[in-house]
């Protein structure tokens, strides 16, 4: 599984950046330009990860490097229709739609969230109110050792900007719908979302990463996304991330969150699509008494490769984190779970729990799981557990003795296993849609198969 | 044997005992009753030397010595035993091993010879009979996986083996059914002797039907507000704690009026 | 009044009781490593050509290898491989044939360590091979064991007397090119123990090796090979100590276990008490060891139990390759790190056969500025249908300057197997200490009691005598002045 890499792989991206620089011609605010330059310089230093990199031990970037991806150009507004989006909708009133990382106003439903609060696009915001962003952009998504986050920070053009002022509670969930659309050449897009919650504010956000099935002559897409979340003291964010790209797609997304004092952050990942998938979640506690719930559900079938990488960093005392990741792997799919919990010296009274369960439905599927604890404080409660196995034979037998056939019984138990995560999603319409999707005859395992 | 004078104690910033006086002589059984939050468990904890509690005023003399200056293990070796309200679990350490280590530490402090495993087992077996304990319990780790009743019985069993001079029972009756309660009381009664003192802390009068006290004290708001014989417990059972609260308020009111 | 936490921290220091040095006349080779040194070691041991060739092959391969990239949580100073003496042995008075010819100082050393080399003085039931620096100086109960067809002798003796067995199995589990330290060991290994248990024999006594590093500036590179035939059983123990010195000394051993036949069973126990270095981290042994066993026979079993309290740095992963159907691998470990000790230890369980089972129980205790890491791999291959693994990794932290790290790797490639992993972190609760104190125990005794309770699951797997030893060792390791 060694990754053969050449300097030209790196060069290829660095040259693209030089073209971007010419194209932008200094139109960026100084701080943003600075960020791009620092990120590309870092990328130039670290290059692409190899299997010798502990964080990429089980996920090879070889296939990705074989495809000559070019930054996706701005498309006609009509490239995607309302009907194309229907399967991915949650019936939401407020949504921002992006195609290949650029905001499409025609498909979006934008209305004010409160006095003077309007969700919008990053590109637009950089022109209109750059000072609003320079403080927060790039503050949470660290790219020091992160190749793809560095690439995103260098190349991003657009994304969602959601700034909730102090004390504002937004009742309607906001849907950020990102569509990857293939073209005649392989396209890569670098969407960058920024979610900033003021003191005591509250909002629910759904982040969808979806793809339309490739048409004849369309090349695969690559999405290298970053979402930065900054939660001020006592703010509450309920977040759901749904990944339903097509089976040829390469998908990387890094959700990086920083929590202030007594902030509450809940995120649920549901990863269904994609061919090569890397879902990262990184949570840093920047205040005391904060609480994070980081749950995930991922499916792999066919030849999908799904890598889930989480880092929860307890740097301050009295914070709690709960993490539950479940995976279901069938056919020749390959799953990776890498969960890291840090409890630093000052983080006394930390309560951290991590659980990872994998259902292996086929002898050709592979799971690599690595739940890690790194603890430097003594007065803490930290546990992790991992299980790998198939459906419980006794339970299967019980269901069959009640009249279900093997296929039905297996489907029911698989559904129950997955639904344990879905049930925890608090955003009502999202939970209902996903539950229905799980139950649907085609089932998530067959989703978007060509 | 034990003399408590004007004892004040607090947990963090909260003052719980506010001038408690009590004297226990050898051979006596004293019961302390009181509503929740009156300071019963604090009193037990302070006497055993629990680090959580801070004594801010007053003194406690035990056989003429300043008890408050002693470490918890010194108090234990001097013969003070606390039957915990919530006995602690120690995974991986068997009951037998734990108890022998404790007994030998106490014997050593008294200048007695340590007991070898055989002599110890004989002693333990004889005590187990009194409490109708299953020998299986000895092999299990200290309090781990014990039911509530088993934990309490185990506390009294330890008391029987260690043969302390002053036995403090902190709500030993809580969570016990009537049979277990009787067993525990039998164990305690078997230990009653002219040289041993008892401080029985309880919320309910029930236990005192079986362990009949010489004195009953009512603790309210960190002070003993009423003392009497065993009939006081019955009276309290009948009238409830509301009666004491009203009386206490009146006393406070009267002294305020007098001032 | 001091808080229990500070008291517990104060407990985590003590004198190393085995740190004395014995002045004996030694025979050493010059410092440094090259082909001549290897030829010299081989000549001293009068080895056959094939073994010298094997050593040289290992050495030449070692030259092409890089020192391992240490895990990021280990801090290791540079090691100068040319500044080590690769062979040091007490000068024999004549040929070492019987105990009478052994230097009385060497014998006294072992007696001081509680290891009597006179059979009549030993508790019946334990045979000892005593290794002093680079050579085995005595092996007890050889004749009695021979009556059962068991071979238990020094490795060099086995090369001489049982060359076919050695040649067949040497390097069969840990090849000479396995890793940097295994290659180094293969090139320069000097002695160690050899055991062979024939078909149907249940070894009537515990076999043990006691390793002593004595000489300055030397490294110890021993090699142990245990072969167990069909329906045979052996329980083998090893213990190790070294003098206190300001410089680090290298110990790079290789242990190979082969459970060859059906239902063969090897139980391997270690109580490792190499000099851990002083409070500031000066001196101490670098303990870089490769231990691996293979369960070839159907229903065979290999069980590793280790209690690691010594060494400045411990880096070892006793592993089992579960090849035979229904074979069983076990790993029970207690690792204690205090002051500036670092331990990175764990196991690998590789499931190849059907219905194979493995159990891992790891207990890490960190005190002072100690860093304790569990690193393990459970790999269930496609053919290992219906296999099971259960792992439990618990950490106990004493104080707030130490660290506990858990890195379990789990890889499963078939759908009929089941893997379960649990890990927890705890500390000694103040309520536990108070409870013990209320029953008359000192803080020190309370800590020992709780620590021993924490490790009990592992101690239960040690032979009785060793269990007592291990318990005491943990006790003294944490002992100190109570404030």
């Amino acid at each position: 599984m060694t990754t053969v890499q050449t300097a030209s792989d790196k060069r290829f991206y660095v040259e693209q950046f030089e073209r971007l620089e010419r194209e932008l011609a200094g139109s960026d605010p100084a701080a943003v330009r600075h960020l791009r330059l620092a990120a590309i310089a870092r990328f130039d230093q670290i290059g692409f990860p190899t299997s010798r990199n502990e964080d990429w031990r089980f996920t090879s970037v070889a296939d990705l490097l074989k495809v000559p991806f070019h930054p996706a150009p701005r498309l006609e507004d009509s490239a995607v229709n309302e009907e194309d989006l229907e399967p991915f909708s949650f019936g939401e009133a407020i949504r921002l739609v992006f195609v290949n990382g650029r905001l499409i106003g025609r498909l979006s439903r934008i209305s004010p969230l409160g006095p003077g609060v309007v969700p919008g696009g990053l590109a637009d915001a950089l022109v209109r109110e750059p000072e609003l962003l320079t403080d927060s952009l790039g503050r949470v998504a660290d790219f020091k050792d992160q190749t793809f986050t560095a690439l995103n920070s260098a190349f991003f053009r657009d994304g969602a900007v959601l700034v909730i002022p102090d004390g504002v509670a937004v009742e309607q969930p906001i849907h950020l719908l990102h569509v990857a659309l293939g073209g005649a050449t392989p396209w890569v897009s670098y969407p960058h979302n920024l979610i900033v919650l003021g003191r005591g504010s509250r909002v629910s956000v759904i982040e969808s990463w979806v793809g339309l099935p490739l048409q004849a002559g369309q090349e695969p897409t690559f999405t290298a996304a970053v979402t930065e979340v900054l939660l001020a003291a006592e703010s509450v964010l309920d977040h759901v991330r749904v990944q339903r790209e097509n089976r040829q797609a390469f998908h990387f997304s890094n959700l990086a969150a920083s929590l202030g004092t007594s902030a509450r952050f809940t995120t649920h990942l549901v990863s269904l699509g994609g061919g090569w998938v890397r879902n990262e979640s990184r949570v840093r506690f920047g205040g005391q008494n904060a609480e994070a719930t980081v749950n995930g559900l991922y499916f792999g079938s066919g030849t999908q490769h799904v890598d889930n990488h989480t880092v929860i960093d307890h740097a301050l005392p009295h914070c709690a984190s709960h993490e539950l990741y479940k995976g279901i792997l069938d056919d020749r799919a390959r799953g990776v779970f890498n969960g890291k919990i840090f409890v630093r010296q000052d983080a006394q009274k930390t309560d951290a729990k991590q659980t990872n369960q994998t259902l292996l439905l086929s002898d050709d599927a592979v799971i690599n799981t690595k739940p890690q604890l790194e603890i430097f404080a003594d007065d803490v409660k930290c546990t992790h557990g991992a299980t790998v196995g198939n459906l419980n034979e006794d339970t299967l037998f019980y269901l069959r003795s009640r009249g279900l056939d093997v296929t039905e019984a297996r489907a029911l138990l698989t559904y129950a296993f997955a639904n344990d995560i879905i049930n925890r999603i608090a955003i009502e319409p999202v939970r209902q849609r996903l539950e229905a999707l799980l139950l649907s005859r085609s089932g998530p395992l067959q989703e978007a198969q060509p | 044997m034990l003399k408590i004078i004007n004892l004040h104690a607090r947990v963090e910033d909260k003052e719980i005992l506010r001038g408690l006086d009590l004297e226990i002589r050898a051979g006596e059984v004293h019961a302390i009753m009181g509503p929740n939050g009156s300071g019963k468990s604090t009193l037990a904890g302070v006497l055993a030397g629990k680090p959580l509690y801070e004594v801010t005023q007053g003194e406690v003399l035990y056989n003429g010595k300043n008890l408050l200056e002693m470490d918890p293990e010194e108090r234990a070796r001097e013969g003070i035993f606390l039957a915990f309200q919530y006995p602690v679990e120690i995974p991986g350490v068997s009951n037998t091993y734990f108890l022998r280590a404790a007994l030998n530490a106490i014997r050593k402090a008294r200048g007695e010879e340590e007991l070898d495993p055989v002599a110890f087992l004989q002693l333990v077996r004889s005590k187990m009979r009194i409490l109708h304990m299953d020998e299986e319990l000895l092999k299990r780790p200290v309090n781990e996986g014990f039911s509530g009743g088993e934990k309490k019985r185990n506390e009294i069993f330890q008391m029987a083996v260690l043969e302390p001079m002053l036995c403090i029972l902190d709500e030993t009756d809580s969570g016990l059914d009537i049979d277990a309660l009787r067993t525990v009381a039998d164990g305690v009664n078997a230990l009653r002797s002219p040289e041993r003192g008892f401080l029985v802390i309880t919320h309910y009068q029930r236990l005192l039907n079986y362990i009949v006290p010489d004195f009953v004290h009512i603790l309210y708001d960190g002070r003993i507000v009423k003392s009497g014989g065993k009939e006081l417990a019955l009276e309290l059972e009948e009238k409830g704690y509301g009666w004491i609260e009203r009386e206490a308020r009146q006393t406070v009111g009267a002294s305020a009026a007098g001032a | 009044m001091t808080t229990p936490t500070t008291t517990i921290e104060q407990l985590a220091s003590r004198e190393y009781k085995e740190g004395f040095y014995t002045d004996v006349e030694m025979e050493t080779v010059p410092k440094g490593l090259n082909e001549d040194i290897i030829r010299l070691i081989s000549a001293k041991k009068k080895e056959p050509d094939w073994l010298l060739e094997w050593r040289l092959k290992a050495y030449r391969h070692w030259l092409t290898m890089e020192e391992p990239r240490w895990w990021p949580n280990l801090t290791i100073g540079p090691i100068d491989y040319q500044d080590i003496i690769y062979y040091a042995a007490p000068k024999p008075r004549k040929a070492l044939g019987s105990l009478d010819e052994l230097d009385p100082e060497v014998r006294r050393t072992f007696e001081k360590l509680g290891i009597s080399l006179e059979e009549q003085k030993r508790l019946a039931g334990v045979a000892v091979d005593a290794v002093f620096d680079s050579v085995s100086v005595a092996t007890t109960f050889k004749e009695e064991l021979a009556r059962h067809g068991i071979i238990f002798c020094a490795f060099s003796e086995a090369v001489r007397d049982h060359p076919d067995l050695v040649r067949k199995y040497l390097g069969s589990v840990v090849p000479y090119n396995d890793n940097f330290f295994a290659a180094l060991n293969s090139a320069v290994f000097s002695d160690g123990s050899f055991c062979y248990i024939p078909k149907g024999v249940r070894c009537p006594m515990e076999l043990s090796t006691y390793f002593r590093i004595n000489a300055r500036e030397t490294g110890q590179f021993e090699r142990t090979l245990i072969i167990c035939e069909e329906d045979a059983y052996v329980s083998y123990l090893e213990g190790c100590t070294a003098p206190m010195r300001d410089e680090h000394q290298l110990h790079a051993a290789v242990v190979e276990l082969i459970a060859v036949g059906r239902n063969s069973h090897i139980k391997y126990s270690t109580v490792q008490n190499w000099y851990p270095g002083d409070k500031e981290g000066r001196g101490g042994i670098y303990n870089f060891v490769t231990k691996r066993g293979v369960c070839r026979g159907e229903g065979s079993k290999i069980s590793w139990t280790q209690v690691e309290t010594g060494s400045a740095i411990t880096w070892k992963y006793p592993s089992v390759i579960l090849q035979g159907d229904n074979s069983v691998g076990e790993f029970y470990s207690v690792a204690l790190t205090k002051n500036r000790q670092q331990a990175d230890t764990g196991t690998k369980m590789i499931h190849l056969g059907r219905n194979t089972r493995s159990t891992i129980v790891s207990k890490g205790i960190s005190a002072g500025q100690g860093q304790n890491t569990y690193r393990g791999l459970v790999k269930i291959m496609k053919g290992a249908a219906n296999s099971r693994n259960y792992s439990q990794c618990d950490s106990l932290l004493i104080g707030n300057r130490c660290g506990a790290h858990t890195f379990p790797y789990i890889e499963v490639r078939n759908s009929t197997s089941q893997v379960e992993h649990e890990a927890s972190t705890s500390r000694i609760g103040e309520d536990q200490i108070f409870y013990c104190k209320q029953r008359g125990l000192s803080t020190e005794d309370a800590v020992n009691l709780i620590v021993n309770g924490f490790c009990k699951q592992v101690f239960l797997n040690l032979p009785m005598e060793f269990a007592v030893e291990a318990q005491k060792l943990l006790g003294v390791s944490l002992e100190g002045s109570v404030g």
Side-chain angles (χ1 to χ4, degrees), chain C residues 254-327:
Chain C
V254 170
V255 175
E256 295 178 278
L257 310 184
I258 304 124
V260 184
R262 242 180 115 86
N263 300 327
S264 50
H265 181 182
I266 303 174
K267 186 173 163 60
Y268 192 107
S269 314
T270 306
V271 173
Q272 185 266 104
N273 186 25
W274 293 119
Y275 177 54
D278 68 8
K279 273 187 187 151
E280 275 71 46
R282 271 193 304 264
I285 302 290
Y286 284 167
N287 187 32
F288 303 152
V289 174
T290 307
K291 289 181 169 177
R292 196 175 302 151
V294 56
C295 285
R296 290 211 188 132
E298 195 192 326
S300 58
K301 178 173 175 182
I302 288 178
S303 176
W304 298 100
T305 305
Q306 59 173 28
V307 176
E308 305 280 325
T309 61
S311 297
I313 300 168
T314 295
W315 183 84
K316 62 183 269 203
Y317 313 93
S319 305
V320 185
I321 299 165
L322 296 150
Q323 210 173 60
D325 289 351
N326 304 311
S327 57

Side-chain angles (χ1 to χ4, degrees), chain A residues 54 363-364 369 371 373 375 384 386, chain C residues 382 404 406 408-410 415 421 423:
Chain A
E54 197 50 36
D363 280 351
D364 294 315
T369 167
L373 296 175
I375 308 207
H384 71 214
Chain C
K382 203 164 164 176
T406 316
Y409 293 74
I410 301 165
S415 65
H421 169 96

Side-chain angles (χ1 to χ4, degrees), chain B residues 9-27:
Chain B
R10 65 177 182 190
V11 178
E12 281 159 8
D13 289 335
K14 198 171 166 216
E15 185 156 43
I16 298 182
L17 297 183
R18 309 152 179 260
L20 186 143
D21 297 285
L22 179 67
E23 184 167 4
I24 300 178
R25 280 177 294 270

